[in-house]
Amino acid sequence: MRTSLAWAALPNPLATASGCAANGRELSRFFPLSRLGAMVTKSVMLAPRSGRPTPRMAETPSGMLNSIGLQGPGVDAFVQQDLPWLKAQGARTIASIAAGSIDEYAEVAARLALAPPGTVTAVEVNISCPNVEDRGLVFACDPDAAAAAVAAARSATDPSIPVLAKLSPDVTDIVSIARACVGAGADGLTMINTVLGMVIDTTTLRPVLGGVTGGLSGPAIRPVAVRCIWQVHAALPEVPILGVGGVRTGLDALQLILAGASAVSVGTTVFNDPGAPLRVLGELRTALAERGFERMRDAVGYAHSALGAGADRIAPPVPPGPSLRAPSADGAGSGYDETAYDEGR
């Protein structure tokens, strides 16, 4: 099950998704963080932030909207308090950073670089933030802005630590954004961030969220994540990808891996199933074995090879079984009903 993101070696491909498990303290009550491939922290900014107005969350069919607004203690407190604690838990930490300007990305990365050696495994540059210097344009929606943000963070980060650029699906051509980020120094990519959405209360006749719009996550966006990962891996097959988006089961994770992800994050499902990352890991291990993969790495991007060779030359390692349900680590069914989610139940 071993894998890597650039030169950051991980014992397994399962990670948390930024923002869905804070900085690990809450999740550590359910299982040792050392059992994860990596712990991705909530995106931290230069100064403490209180976030956006309430209400901040809304349920949707097969997912949820959030409008938290990158609430957090600021990078200095993160470096002094959270990173040493995560290191003590044996976690491999992917520190996610965010900013509102190019200079701020460089400053946040520079302060993160002051962390004790060995506390940061990789840095995730969340570029899905509005650029306050450019009429609120989101960095991730423009190749030049995305490249500038990544270059600023990369220049201030220890060269021995890989930098991942987190991409937004809210673009016309995600491959062009990916190319720009890699060209600016990104050693890998995180794909995808949430999809921008909105809900209106038909009783009050007003937007449900205090911030009006929010990020859609959960099973509803998994096909979008698979598509984005597929497109970028096809164009940039040597670039490692941390796949994110709607993963609830081992088979969900396998889809992202077959599309080209070297590791997979579990996010929204943690809210109602805190043990989901380890359950998904067990289900993924079983799914890989049932399909004849001796190593997880052999499955990365496999769907591209199968498609290119033609169905007459490459068949699935084992025929699909009568059920699409992935067994859990103890061999029991996961209880995941794909049809129910497709129909919005």
Side-chain angles (χ1 to χ4, degrees), residues 115-320:
T119 56
V120 176
T121 299
V123 174
E124 178 184 270
V125 184
N126 181 359
I127 54 176
S128 299
C129 304
N131 182 353
V132 296
E133 297 177 335
D134 191 11
R135 303 179 309 281
L137 172 72
V138 175
F139 288 98
C141 292
D142 176 78
D144 293 337
V150 170
R154 175 70 276 181
S155 66
T157 299
D158 184 334
S160 68
I161 296 177
V163 167
L164 313 176
K166 187 170 187 177
L167 305 188
S168 168
D170 294 326
V171 296
T172 303
D173 180 8
I174 197 167
V175 172
S176 66
I177 306 295
R179 288 188 190 279
C181 290
V182 172
D187 306 294
L189 304 167
T190 299
M191 300 172 60
I192 55 175
N193 209 326
T194 55
V195 178
L196 191 64
M198 180 178 175
V199 174
I200 294 177
D201 189 319
T202 53
T203 300
T204 65
L205 311 183
R206 298 180 61 82
V208 170
L209 297 175
V212 182
T213 61
L216 176 65
S217 63
I221 72 167
R222 188 178 66 249
V224 179
V226 173
R227 183 266 299 176
C228 289
I229 293 168
W230 174 279
Q231 290 178 325
V232 171
H233 182 75
L236 303 168
E238 301 304 316
V239 177
I241 295 173
L242 173 57
V244 193
V247 173
R248 291 188 73 248
T249 72
L251 291 183
D252 295 343
L254 181 59
Q255 282 197 53
L256 271 60
I257 291 168
L258 293 172
S262 296
V264 174
S265 286
V266 175
T268 300
T269 194
V270 168
F271 292 130
N272 75 300
D273 180 8
L278 293 189
R279 173 180 56 77
V280 171
L281 176 61
E283 293 172 358
L284 175 62
R285 181 183 289 108
T286 299
L288 289 167
E290 288 178 343
R291 286 154 181 79
F293 291 106
E294 295 184 1
R295 303 184 308 169
M296 198 287 298
R297 292 181 180 182
D298 295 335
V300 176
Y302 184 89
H304 295 262
S305 301
L307 182 67
D312 59 329
R313 296 180 58 188
I314 293 185
V318 296

Side-chain angles (χ1 to χ4, degrees), residues 70-91:
L70 295 177
Q71 177 179 331
V75 67
D76 291 337
F78 176 72
V79 168
Q80 295 166 11
Q81 301 170 18
D82 293 305
L83 288 178
W85 180 86
L86 284 163
K87 177 66 174 177
Q89 308 307 306

